[in-house]
Amino acid sequence: SYQAQSAYYTYEEYACAYFGVAKGSDWRAEAEEWARETVKQYLIFYYIMDKEGLDPTEEEFAVLLDEYLEYALELENITVDRFSTVEEFNSHKEQYRAKMVTEQGANYFKDKIYFNLGYEVVLGYANVVEITE
């Protein structure tokens, strides 16, 4: 995460490593451009989600969040069978959720879940052709 990384680097070192620009270059401009483009992408994506009616209800979002949390923990080899009780696993899931919200921001899971919901719809807008010679 950004917070964890910035503990080991200066802002310039981190930005240069993250954006791949040469040390001493205008890394602030690169970071600002990245931020602007990222915000544009999210605004466009959320607009498409809204227009396509893909926004989940609160109940649907809660189910999707739980599924995503279990998926993310499974990637780290943390599954329910590694705990004595389901309650312990659920407690660990909540700790993981809280950690990610603290490190990545309040919309971290919303962004991940919305991306998964809208990905196929957005790809459907693409005009894919096969080029043969």
Side-chain angles (χ1 to χ4, degrees), residues 19 24 26 30 36 47 63 82 87:
F19 299 110
D26 190 359
E30 291 284 333
R36 287 179 194 275
Y47 176 80
V63 169
R82 298 188 70 196
E87 290 78 21

Side-chain angles (χ1 to χ4, degrees), residues 102-117:
T102 298
E103 290 181 1
Q104 301 291 337
N107 286 331
Y108 177 76
F109 290 109
K110 181 180 178 183
D111 294 343
K112 297 289 185 189
I113 289 168
Y114 272 47
F115 180 80
N116 289 339
L117 287 173

Side-chain angles (χ1 to χ4, degrees), residues 11-22:
Y11 287 117
E12 180 181 6
E13 290 170 337
Y14 180 73
C16 289
Y18 188 81
F19 299 110
V21 296

Side-chain angles (χ1 to χ4, degrees), residues 40-49 114-115 118-119 122:
K40 282 183 198 174
Q41 290 171 10
Y42 279 114
L43 288 173
I44 291 167
F45 193 79
Y46 284 132
Y47 176 80
I48 291 169
M49 292 287 294
Y114 272 47
F115 180 80
Y119 183 74
V122 172

